[in-house]
Amino acid sequence: MSRKVYLEEMEKEARRRARQARSAFGTAAATNQANDDSDNEHQSQNDLMEIIEQGKAAIGKIWDTALVPFHAAVSKPAQKAYLGTFLFASTSLFLLGLSTVAYALFYYNFVPQVSVERTIHLQFGDGHPYGIANLDSSLTSLQAYDVSLLLHLPRTPNNQAAGNFMLDLSLLAPSKVLSSTEKLLPEAALKQRLAHSRRPAILTYASPIIDTASTLTGLPFYVLGWKTESEVVEVSMFEGVEFPKGWRNVPQEVRLIVEADEKMQFYEVGVRIFAKFGGLRWIMYHHRILSYVLFTSMFWSSSMISALIAWLVLSSYLSSGSTPVKKQEPASPSIKAEPSESERYEPSLTEGLSDASRTFPTLGRHIPLHFTGRDEGLRRGNDARMKHEDEVIQSNDIQPLLAEADDEDEGIETSGFKDSGIGTSLDEAQKARVQRRKRGSQLPGLPE
């Protein structure tokens, strides 16, 4: 019975331990799972942050790349280029407008009116009908003109009976003395006449039958007022007339006298003056766009060159005027030379120091530290002092020492100095120094 109880107790204990093992395993598994989940979460967060950082870097790089043209556009060289371009463009446009105005003035003064028409008001009374028309300053010198008269005549019996009649045309020079009434006189006209022409004129002949037929044919037009029984007769008076240079040689008035045996009737009488261009005037009048482009370009180019030269002269003048003038400074006092190594060295400073020189290592690739002992310091100082004294002797042209000085130097007692094994070089240096001072005291002019 006891064995059975014991077995049951053992079975219960095994089951309890199995349950504990299973619970421990479950807890460990849960802990491991939690740890794995936490690690996965941290890894995910790290991956997400890395992706975000990469995205930010990519966006920043894209943004910087996109802003490169903007930074280049707003840089100081670009601003200077913009300012120079603006000044050049504004100056070019201004000079282009100025060149256009200059060409317009040149065209207006150089190319005269191609056609001038004036109405002559005839005066009737005793004698032949006559009339004067003012031309003002429409004509110019050294220019050929064709002059013709336009006579608007009704087909009255008197005009048809007059047959041929004479037209006397005179071109008169400007005058400030004679009045308008005096200019009508033949003598005054003869005195002021620059050009004179007499030409015949006649109405177109039509037989009575033709005249009647044409009247009947055009009767509706006559009734409606669209047609009149009149005729315009054009008579050429001058061909290629040219006037010399000078305002007194250019006509300002025309005088017409109609000479006929019958009393004639006129609707209107006019004079037409047509300019016959040649050379440059013909090109400028018949090829206006080409002339404008050519001459405006010439004016603009000359203006730009002049402006460039003026700008260069002005900039050079301003740059030369703004350059500060250097004032001559007074000579600075001579800088005192630093004392030599022999002068800086004093034996008192080496007291308490070791006689031997040592070298101490340093970390890395630095230069090792070197300590100079008293013996080496004294030797260097004495060598430097002796070298300095030799240079002074050579600069003063001092002759070699006399034999007496050598003898006296040889007689210096040195028995008082003994080699103790430490500081031997110091004793030797002191003896050399005593000998050097002895020699220097016997030479005139040698600094002590």
Side-chain angles (χ1 to χ4, degrees):
M1 186 67 182
S2 60
R3 185 177 180 178
K4 185 177 180 181
V5 173
Y6 176 75
L7 292 175
E8 288 178 357
E9 291 293 332
M10 291 294 293
E11 185 178 358
K12 289 180 181 179
E13 183 67 21
R15 289 178 181 177
R16 184 179 63 79
R17 290 183 179 181
R19 285 195 300 271
Q20 291 179 355
R22 283 197 299 270
S23 67
F25 179 78
T27 303
T31 304
N32 294 334
Q33 184 66 28
N35 293 333
D36 293 340
D37 293 341
S38 177
D39 293 341
N40 293 333
E41 184 178 357
H42 286 300
Q43 184 67 25
S44 301
Q45 291 179 358
N46 293 335
D47 295 341
L48 181 60
M49 292 299 296
E50 185 177 358
I51 292 173
I52 293 174
E53 292 296 332
Q54 291 178 356
K56 289 182 179 180
I59 294 173
K61 187 176 181 180
I62 295 173
W63 180 254
D64 294 339
T65 305
L67 289 180
V68 167
F70 177 75
H71 291 316
V74 298
S75 60
K76 288 186 177 181
Q79 293 177 2
K80 291 182 180 180
Y82 297 153
L83 180 59
T85 304
F86 173 74
L87 293 177
F88 178 79
S90 58
T91 305
S92 300
L93 293 177
F94 174 74
L95 293 179
L96 181 61
L98 188 63
S99 301
T100 303
V101 174
Y103 175 75
L105 294 176
F106 173 71
Y107 183 90
Y108 177 79
N109 291 323
F110 185 73
V111 180
Q113 296 183 20
V114 65
S115 179
V116 179
E117 294 185 3
R118 295 291 186 272
T119 300
I120 301 177
H121 301 281
L122 295 178
Q123 304 294 323
F124 294 89
D126 297 336
H128 302 295
Y130 60 89
I132 293 179
N134 191 3
L135 300 177
D136 299 328
S137 58
S138 302
L139 305 184
T140 183
S141 59
L142 304 178
Q143 173 61 48
Y145 291 97
D146 290 341
V147 183
S148 60
L149 290 174
L150 301 176
L151 306 175
H152 190 191
L153 302 172
R155 298 183 65 83
T156 60
N158 289 340
N159 289 344
Q160 293 179 357
N164 287 321
F165 55 94
M166 297 299 298
L167 300 175
D168 186 296
L169 185 65
S170 300
L171 301 179
L172 306 180
S175 176
K176 297 182 181 180
V177 179
L178 300 178
S179 61
S180 58
T181 305
E182 294 174 340
K183 292 178 183 179
L184 299 177
L185 300 177
E187 296 81 2
L190 183 61
K191 292 179 182 179
Q192 293 183 334
R193 185 182 297 169
L194 296 177
H196 178 255
S197 177
R198 288 173 59 87
R199 300 290 173 87
I202 189 174
L203 289 173
T204 303
Y205 173 74
S207 63
I209 298 176
I210 300 298
D211 189 18
T212 303
S214 63
T215 301
L216 293 176
T217 304
L219 185 60
F221 299 99
Y222 291 120
V223 174
L224 295 174
W226 293 352
K227 191 175 181 180
T228 60
E229 296 185 73
S230 61
E231 183 180 353
V232 177
V233 179
E234 182 175 1
V235 182
S236 178
M237 303 299 294
F238 295 97
E239 294 82 15
V241 62
E242 189 173 345
F243 310 103
K245 190 175 182 180
W247 66 273
R248 292 183 179 275
N249 299 322
V250 179
Q252 288 189 349
E253 294 177 344
V254 293
R255 182 178 182 274
L256 173 65
I257 299 176
V258 181
E259 299 177 358
D261 295 336
E262 298 288 339
K263 282 191 175 183
M264 300 183 64
Q265 294 83 29
F266 299 89
Y267 281 141
E268 186 180 8
V269 178
V271 59
R272 177 184 294 171
I273 303 175
F274 185 79
K276 298 176 66 176
F277 292 144
L280 183 60
R281 286 174 176 170
W282 185 88
I283 296 175
M284 294 178 65
Y285 181 78
H286 290 89
H287 303 280
R288 299 180 183 180
I289 298 178
L290 179 62
S291 301
Y292 167 77
V293 173
L294 179 62
F295 285 97
T296 303
S297 301
M298 293 174 59
F299 291 153
W300 180 79
S301 301
S302 59
S303 301
M304 288 295 293
I305 293 173
S306 301
L308 180 60
I309 294 174
W311 173 258
L312 292 176
V313 172
L314 183 61
S315 60
S316 62
Y317 174 75
L318 293 178
S319 61
S320 62
S322 61
T323 303
V325 180
K326 276 191 173 182
K327 296 183 179 180
Q328 187 174 2
E329 298 180 356
S332 58
S334 59
I335 301 174
K336 184 177 180 180
E338 295 183 358
S340 61
E341 186 178 356
S342 61
E343 296 175 355
R344 291 197 304 265
Y345 181 81
E346 294 182 3
S348 61
L349 299 177
T350 61
E351 294 180 358
L353 298 179
S354 177
D355 297 335
S357 299
R358 297 180 182 274
T359 301
F360 300 95
T362 58
L363 297 177
R365 298 182 179 179
H366 297 285
I367 300 174
L369 299 176
H370 182 74
F371 170 73
T372 304
R374 290 190 300 172
D375 297 343
E376 187 175 354
L378 289 171
R379 185 172 61 256
R380 289 184 181 180
N382 293 330
D383 293 342
R385 185 181 297 275
M386 292 173 64
K387 183 178 179 181
H388 176 67
E389 292 178 356
D390 292 339
E391 291 177 356
V392 172
I393 294 172
Q394 292 177 3
S395 62
N396 293 330
D397 294 332
I398 299 176
Q399 299 297 329
L401 298 175
L402 299 177
E404 298 176 357
D406 293 338
D407 296 338
E408 292 179 1
D409 292 339
E410 292 176 356
I412 297 176
E413 294 181 357
T414 59
S415 60
F417 296 93
K418 295 182 180 180
D419 189 1
S420 61
I422 299 175
T424 305
S425 60
L426 177 60
D427 297 335
E428 294 177 355
Q430 289 179 354
K431 289 190 289 183
R433 185 176 179 184
V434 171
Q435 292 178 2
R436 180 65 66 183
R437 287 190 176 181
K438 184 65 176 179
R439 293 159 120 186
S441 60
Q442 295 177 358
L443 297 175
L446 183 63
E448 295 181 0

